[in-house]
Amino acid sequence: MRMKKSMLLTICLVFMLVLAACSSNSTTNTPANGGNTSTNEPAVTESADPVEEEEEEVVEGNPNATPEMDFDLGGRTIKVVSWWDMTIPEDNPDNIQRKANLDALMEKHNFNIEYIAIDYGEYQTKVVASLMAGEPIGDIVRLGKTYTVPTLVKQDLLWPLDDYVKNDNAFNQKVTKELYTYEGKGYGFTDDKANHTTGVFYNRTLMNQLGLKPLQEYVNEDNWNWESFIQVAKEANKDTNNDGKLDTWGLANRGLLEQALYSNNAALTLGNNQNLEDPKTLEALNFVSRLATEQVSRPTEGGDWTEPSQFFRQGNTLMYVGAMYEVSGIKTDMADYDIGFVPLPKGPSATEYHSGEALFQALTIPKTVENPEQLMYIWEKINDIESMYDYPSQASFESNFDNEDDINNAIQAQAGLLVLDHNTFPSLPYWDFEAELTSGTSVSTVVESYKAPFQAAIDEIYGQ
């Protein structure tokens, strides 16, 4: 390249010298060089150095990536424990990159890796017992937040990981910095950026048959909130054959307490205190009470917890509040219907759409495991890839939805993940609380009755 530039510059100089010479011999009174008649001056007075002109392109890496580390694990086997087999499947370009990274890391740092899957039903008992005994069952262990924070971290059984989880291309920053924390430190991590997604599945075919305003229009107008949600549900409660009985319904679910909390950025507990009198929580409780007292939902027929999804699958109920992992089964069972998705409607104190999870989990490193920085470095370098996907869950969303609005709604819902912590407290009477709320008991009465039992359950765990 430099040689080509030098040759080109030489040719240009020769050409301009010839041009200047020709101009000096011209019969025109005004010289071509603007008045300078001296033929001793060079035609080009400023010559750029071709070496200085050549600027190599600087490719900047991720400033948050951990610098290369050099260590030898001496053939050690790193054990990764979960309630499913976390072996990297080579089923898409991203995972192929991850597997190649792992193979290279194993060779460079002299280690092996073993993925251990333990049945979910016995998982908590086995894993917690191993931690308490000081003999953890693995080096990297998946733990549910409900039995980890604060119980296990208060006993100094896990490493805080904030210092190692800085590469946003390899780690889900929200997990460590916001969702799996205790006293300002993060104890959980994950490379999975596809957050748990909840929202409202709806029967677009039924919506059109009933002549209802499209649900997407409420979203587009930024008017998808609790009021419009109740309005839509009531409009779909119809007696279409005039026999005096409802035969289509607007909402399959009856108990929506957790979803009401998510969608209003509220919670029943906050750290080591009950949170029932917080204004945002009271708004959520009043919404749940209203669903019951105004008989918005389809009445139960005595079924179990799967009854709402079964109602929806019958094709005569407009909306079902559920989780994204259900979408494939719903679409399979309702192949004759056009199924849409919108986020949970916003509560009055929310400024964005939210998803939620009350049984959150993430990976952790037991305190008895040495050199956590090396394990976190390995995990980071495995997952520091150039993804083929534009956003988390793209493959799932695009395979389950062919409507661009549904996909965008799912993306919005996923981004607003919140985690509720009331399941951290085994003695907290959550189901009794919800049952009274949905039976018509006033919110003020329910709150007053349950403040003390909630706080007592929290104190059991926090040791107050």
Side-chain angles (χ1 to χ4, degrees):
M1 177 65 73
R2 290 175 179 172
M3 184 176 293
K4 288 182 179 179
K5 283 190 174 182
S6 298
M7 292 176 63
L8 181 60
L9 186 58
T10 301
I11 293 171
C12 289
L13 286 170
V14 171
F15 175 77
M16 295 187 74
L17 286 170
V18 171
L19 182 61
C22 293
S23 299
S24 65
N25 294 326
S26 173
T27 57
T28 306
N29 292 329
T30 304
N33 62 6
N36 184 358
T37 59
S38 173
T39 57
N40 295 324
E41 291 292 330
V44 179
T45 58
E46 294 184 6
S47 175
D49 188 322
V51 176
E52 292 180 355
E53 279 189 352
E54 179 77 7
E55 291 185 6
E56 295 185 4
E57 180 181 356
V58 177
V59 179
E60 297 200 3
N62 185 344
N64 296 320
T66 303
E68 291 295 318
M69 295 174 63
D70 188 15
F71 54 86
D72 189 321
L73 293 177
R76 169 184 172 184
T77 296
I78 297 173
K79 296 181 178 180
V80 180
V81 181
S82 182
W83 49 84
W84 70 86
D85 185 353
M86 290 186 62
T87 301
I88 300 173
E90 297 182 81
D91 55 352
N92 61 54
D94 281 14
N95 283 333
I96 290 172
Q97 287 185 68
R98 292 187 178 98
K99 181 60 168 59
N101 288 348
L102 172 59
D103 291 342
L105 288 161
M106 288 195 296
E107 181 176 353
K108 177 181 178 181
H109 298 290
N110 190 19
F111 71 92
N112 295 303
I113 193 163
E114 179 184 0
Y115 299 97
I116 300 172
I118 299 175
D119 181 76
Y120 184 78
E122 57 183 352
Y123 189 88
Q124 178 179 340
T125 301
K126 278 191 172 183
V127 173
V128 172
S130 75
L131 291 171
M132 299 292 287
E135 299 177 354
I137 204 166
D139 302 286
I140 297 175
V141 182
R142 186 174 300 280
L143 292 175
K145 184 185 177 185
T146 57
Y147 55 85
T148 301
V149 179
T151 304
L152 300 180
V153 295
K154 281 179 64 177
Q155 300 176 67
D156 199 28
L157 295 176
L158 301 172
W159 286 106
L161 303 171
D162 307 74
D163 291 342
Y164 315 125
V165 183
K166 295 181 178 180
N167 186 342
D168 52 2
N169 192 50
F171 295 111
N172 187 330
Q173 298 293 303
K174 187 172 185 177
V175 169
T176 307
K177 296 178 179 178
E178 298 178 30
L179 304 180
Y180 210 110
T181 62
Y182 178 69
E183 293 187 342
K185 294 183 178 180
Y187 291 86
F189 73 95
T190 181
D191 53 273
D192 189 0
K193 301 181 184 67
N195 295 328
H196 184 71
T197 306
T198 52
V200 182
F201 297 101
Y202 68 98
N203 187 332
R204 194 179 279 114
T205 303
L206 179 62
M207 178 188 74
N208 293 332
Q209 289 174 351
L210 296 175
L212 301 178
K213 176 180 175 177
L215 268 59
Q216 187 60 41
E217 289 189 15
Y218 293 100
V219 176
N220 295 343
E221 298 163 356
D222 194 21
N223 189 35
W224 184 233
N225 52 45
W226 288 351
E227 291 299 323
S228 55
F229 177 78
I230 289 176
Q231 173 192 329
V232 167
K234 287 182 174 181
E235 288 176 352
N237 288 335
K238 289 184 178 293
D239 172 14
T240 61
N241 59 7
N242 298 314
D243 66 351
K245 300 178 182 179
L246 295 180
D247 47 59
T248 66
W249 293 268
L251 178 62
N253 314 71
R254 295 188 72 246
L256 289 177
L257 175 55
E258 287 187 351
Q259 292 85 350
L261 294 166
Y262 299 147
S263 60
N264 203 41
N265 200 12
L268 299 177
T269 66
L270 194 62
N272 58 357
N273 290 295
Q274 59 84 15
N275 196 47
L276 297 180
E277 294 175 295
D278 182 274
K280 293 187 293 186
T281 302
L282 289 173
E283 288 173 340
L285 301 183
N286 278 294
F287 171 67
V288 174
S289 177
R290 184 179 171 191
L291 290 176
T293 56
E294 296 183 17
Q295 299 181 340
V296 176
S297 306
R298 179 171 174 173
T300 180
E301 296 177 1
D304 59 16
W305 63 274
T306 66
E307 184 180 60
S309 69
Q310 296 306 317
F311 280 165
F312 185 65
R313 283 168 163 82
Q314 291 174 10
N316 54 8
T317 305
L318 179 65
M319 296 183 292
Y320 166 65
V321 177
M324 191 58 67
Y325 65 79
E326 300 175 82
V327 64
S328 179
I330 289 173
K331 299 269 285 190
T332 298
D333 294 342
M334 302 182 71
D336 294 333
Y337 298 91
D338 182 8
I339 304 302
F341 180 85
V342 290
L344 293 171
K346 293 178 187 177
S349 293
T351 57
E352 59 185 7
Y353 295 115
H354 289 289
S355 283
E357 190 169 0
L359 294 174
F360 191 70
Q361 46 76 27
L363 296 170
T364 67
I365 298 183
K367 201 66 174 285
T368 54
V369 176
E370 297 180 351
N371 300 316
E373 74 281 358
Q374 295 177 353
L375 297 184
M376 295 302 296
Y377 173 83
I378 288 170
W379 207 267
E380 174 185 343
K381 297 307 178 183
I382 290 172
N383 294 286
D384 194 1
I385 64 170
E386 186 177 343
S387 177
M388 67 169 288
Y389 299 110
D390 298 324
Y391 59 86
S393 298
Q394 181 178 355
S396 173
F397 292 167
E398 291 185 355
S399 64
N400 285 298
F401 297 114
D402 52 18
N403 184 300
E404 197 69 27
D405 289 328
D406 297 334
I407 293 172
N408 290 333
N409 291 336
I411 293 171
Q412 286 190 74
Q414 178 177 244
L417 178 67
L418 298 176
V419 170
L420 299 182
D421 291 332
H422 55 262
N423 286 318
T424 298
F425 314 106
S427 298
L428 189 144
Y430 174 83
W431 296 111
D432 293 339
F433 176 83
E434 185 188 50
E436 284 208 43
L437 198 61
T438 56
S439 68
T441 304
S442 71
V443 170
S444 59
T445 299
V446 174
V447 167
E448 193 60 35
S449 299
Y450 282 87
K451 283 191 303 182
F454 271 39
Q455 190 61 52
I458 295 168
D459 291 345
E460 285 181 4
I461 299 301
Y462 277 85
Q464 297 179 350

